[in-house]
Amino acid sequence: MLFSRFFAPTSKDAPSDAQIISHILMLRAGMISQMASGIYCWLPLAARVMEKISKIIDEEQSRIGSQKVYFTTIQSADLWIESGRYDAYGKEMLRIKDRKDAPFLYSPTNEEQATDLFRKYVKSYRGLPLCLYQIHWKFRDEIRPRFGVMRGREFLMKDAYSFDLDPAGATRTYQQMFRAYVRTFRRMGLTPVPVQASSGAIGGNMSHEFHVLADTGESTLYYDQKILSASDDDELMSTFAVSDEKYDAATAPLREDELMVSKGIEVGHIFYFGKKYSESMNAFVLDANGNKVYPEMGSYGIGVSRLVAAIIEASHDDRGIVWPEQVAPFDVTVLNLYPDDAKCREIAAWIHDSFSASGVEVLYDDRTISIGEKLADADLIGIPWQIIIGKKKIATGLVELKNRKTKEIEEMPPEKLLGRFRS
Ligand code: 5CA
């Protein structure tokens, strides 16, 4: 991709209305553009990151047998009246009427719809267990949308819904999902902190939130510091960690001086709520003896668009974003510092073409702008590797390969570069 053709309207100035670093950097890097409070367009850099995140989620969901669907963003109000949540959801729900005056709504979440789909088609215990998920837009008319896409009104969520025959099966599914979440967030370069949580509007009896620690987080977490170095999932599940709503100093198993208190960004939330929706919406199967059984359900969310901001909160420096390789918008950027020089142009174009042909995602900055601006944009956008092409070095047959994170520079002949990126 040539930067001269690429739609990334970067800017030097920090926008006046942005308070946290991820919001500032996303605006400055030309990743998002505000449409209304809490509603954003996602420009190419951001869209590419969101696709990388989605792909990791897809792979980890598929690994545990969770199947991808697309529910609808527009739902009929009838389903919510049936579950009893239509009135309870209040002003956060965006309510819509069609031309016949029939009541609809824009999905804030899809438990009702998943349960409805299930009851239409699954009639026997043989259809269980079943887990369906989607990655789709949601709308919640938050009172206080803020921090850019961190707390938006329109946001992209991965939401999964599981159906099991009995509590033992449902607990197994919940634990599988817990493990899949740990793997998912680690693959994005994050250190997830799972905390016991209350289940709020979703309802139910078991719930964990997954957090990324950051001073700008909106939640307060109380935890045993061991959780930060816990390597296996059982240790993660059994180590004390709770969200503020659940914290009770009188019952915490740690002394106050052993207890860690930090701010966290909630990037995922999983719930086991049993028969809440299957019973209220009369979704049942027949067991082996022909008896009616209401399945045990859970739902499992990941804030996909919020993750883009959370990753930036966790990985940036004073010059800009530092993307972890697994979610970076491009693998590498080529910075031709002398676009008017024939030799530099030839080498840069050759690197771009040979990398692209090998499936390495490369952004070639071919723009005629100052060297300072070019380097500043590259650091701002945060692609993990920079290939820097300068006149003097190229005369000796070398280019520079710079690591965005460590700032280390290696010199090498251009022919050697590709070997570093082909896996
Ligand atoms: N139905 C359940 C699970 S599928 C559910 O909706 N859970 S949730 O309300 O906790 O949302 C799931 C995840 O979406 C949250 O953990 C958070 O990461 C993200 N999220 C929730 N509200 C917003 C918002 N206003 N802006 C951005 N992301 C959000």
Side-chain angles (χ1 to χ4, degrees):
M1 171 60 69
L2 300 183
F3 205 137
S4 59
R5 312 293 341 128
F6 189 61
F7 185 49
T10 57
S11 84
K12 281 202 279 290
D13 310 316
S16 59
D17 54 336
Q19 299 158 34
I20 63 170
I21 191 69
S22 58
H23 188 196
I24 294 170
L25 290 175
M26 286 182 83
L27 289 168
R28 284 194 50 216
M31 294 177 68
I32 50 170
S33 172
Q34 189 176 26
M35 185 299 127
S37 168
I39 306 179
Y40 291 85
C41 294
W42 292 74
L43 278 44
L45 275 174
R48 293 177 76 99
V49 173
M50 210 135 71
E51 274 160 26
K52 295 270 165 77
I53 291 174
S54 300
K55 181 155 181 282
I56 293 174
I57 293 174
D58 284 340
E59 287 169 7
E60 294 301 333
Q61 288 297 298
S62 164
R63 196 207 285 267
I64 59 165
S66 175
Q67 300 170 55
K68 191 167 190 172
V69 297
Y70 286 95
F71 294 115
T72 60
T73 53
I74 306 293
Q75 299 181 36
S76 166
D78 297 348
L79 286 179
W80 287 69
I81 292 167
E82 207 183 333
S83 75
R85 281 209 292 182
Y86 190 60
D87 291 329
Y89 223 92
K91 277 188 174 293
E92 262 194 26
M93 179 182 278
L94 181 64
R95 295 156 206 261
I96 307 166
K97 291 227 164 119
D98 73 1
R99 66 167 75 206
K100 294 182 190 137
D101 240 15
F104 285 83
L105 57 102
Y106 196 105
S107 298
T109 175
N110 293 66
E111 278 81 3
E112 283 79 357
Q113 207 177 14
T115 309
D116 181 53
L117 192 67
F118 179 89
R119 71 180 169 186
K120 270 192 200 154
Y121 298 104
V122 185
K123 306 287 182 190
S124 153
Y125 71 97
R126 290 191 194 85
L128 296 172
L130 179 69
C131 187
L132 302 174
Y133 81 99
Q134 65 170 349
I135 296 179
H136 219 327
W137 294 95
K138 303 285 182 290
F139 193 92
R140 293 182 186 171
D141 203 349
E142 301 269 354
I143 313 181
R144 223 169 287 107
R146 60 178 188 159
F147 300 158
V149 301
M150 195 71 94
R151 177 170 295 283
R153 292 197 293 167
E154 186 180 62
F155 57 98
L156 192 63
M157 193 201 284
K158 168 267 174 185
D159 42 326
Y161 304 89
S162 71
F163 303 84
D164 277 272
L165 194 59
D166 52 33
T171 304
R172 229 176 2 254
T173 299
Y174 184 90
Q175 286 169 349
Q176 272 180 351
M177 196 60 84
F178 184 104
R179 295 194 173 96
Y181 272 41
V182 174
R183 273 198 301 268
T184 301
F185 296 127
R186 287 199 176 141
R187 281 185 62 185
M188 295 171 192
L190 298 169
T191 304
V193 180
V195 306
Q196 290 170 29
S198 72
S199 19
I202 309 290
N205 26 38
M206 182 156 58
S207 174
H208 282 90
E209 292 169 2
F210 289 78
H211 284 264
V212 173
L213 298 186
D215 294 340
T216 48
E218 294 189 281
S219 318
T220 306
L221 314 178
Y222 299 82
Y223 58 97
D224 179 341
Q225 131 160 40
K226 281 203 276 278
I227 203 155
L228 299 179
S229 52
S231 50
D232 72 88
D233 297 320
D234 294 335
E235 204 182 339
L236 273 178
M237 257 187 234
S238 58
T239 305
F240 177 77
V242 296
S243 70
D244 33 11
E245 297 138 13
K246 264 231 152 168
Y247 179 64
D248 174 357
T251 60
L254 295 175
R255 287 199 321 268
E256 214 169 292
D257 60 326
E258 295 171 322
L259 194 69
M260 300 287 288
V261 185
S262 309
K263 293 283 181 191
I265 301 168
E266 183 199 310
V267 290
H269 199 162
I270 61 178
F271 305 84
Y272 170 30
F273 47 73
K275 301 177 193 296
K276 178 173 153 87
Y277 298 91
S278 54
E279 275 181 355
S280 63
M281 296 182 65
N282 202 31
F284 62 87
V285 296
L286 297 182
D287 71 9
N289 304 316
N291 299 320
K292 255 191 191 180
V293 179
Y294 291 99
E296 297 283 321
M297 290 179 58
S299 73
Y300 316 86
I302 293 181
V304 179
S305 49
R306 175 178 288 181
L307 266 169
V308 178
I311 292 169
I312 296 174
E313 290 292 328
S315 187
H316 65 269
D317 63 16
D318 55 347
R319 299 188 56 86
I321 303 168
V322 181
W323 290 113
E325 291 188 15
Q326 309 87 317
V327 296
F330 291 90
D331 299 319
V332 54
T333 182
V334 174
L335 308 178
N336 180 3
L337 303 187
Y338 298 92
D340 296 333
D341 182 85
K343 181 72 182 166
C344 288
R345 260 205 323 272
E346 182 203 329
I347 298 291
W350 179 80
I351 296 170
H352 172 260
D353 295 350
S354 55
F355 272 41
S356 302
S358 300
V360 180
E361 293 176 350
V362 50
L363 180 65
Y364 164 22
D365 196 342
D366 59 332
R367 294 174 301 168
T368 307
I369 55 172
S370 77
I371 292 176
E373 280 176 282
K374 198 166 275 192
L375 295 172
D377 263 2
D379 283 349
L380 170 64
I381 287 172
I383 296 167
W385 295 96
Q386 303 173 355
I387 295 169
I388 303 171
I389 301 177
K391 260 198 281 206
K392 276 199 203 125
K393 279 273 142 34
I394 219 62
T396 65
L398 297 173
V399 297
E400 291 178 338
L401 177 63
K402 180 173 176 185
N403 181 303
R404 170 68 185 85
K405 184 175 178 178
T406 63
K407 304 180 178 70
E408 277 162 6
I409 296 178
E410 253 181 278
E411 294 181 357
M412 59 177 76
E415 313 81 78
K416 284 256 171 84
L417 284 168
L418 187 54
R420 294 288 300 267
F421 289 93
R422 249 199 313 235
S423 46

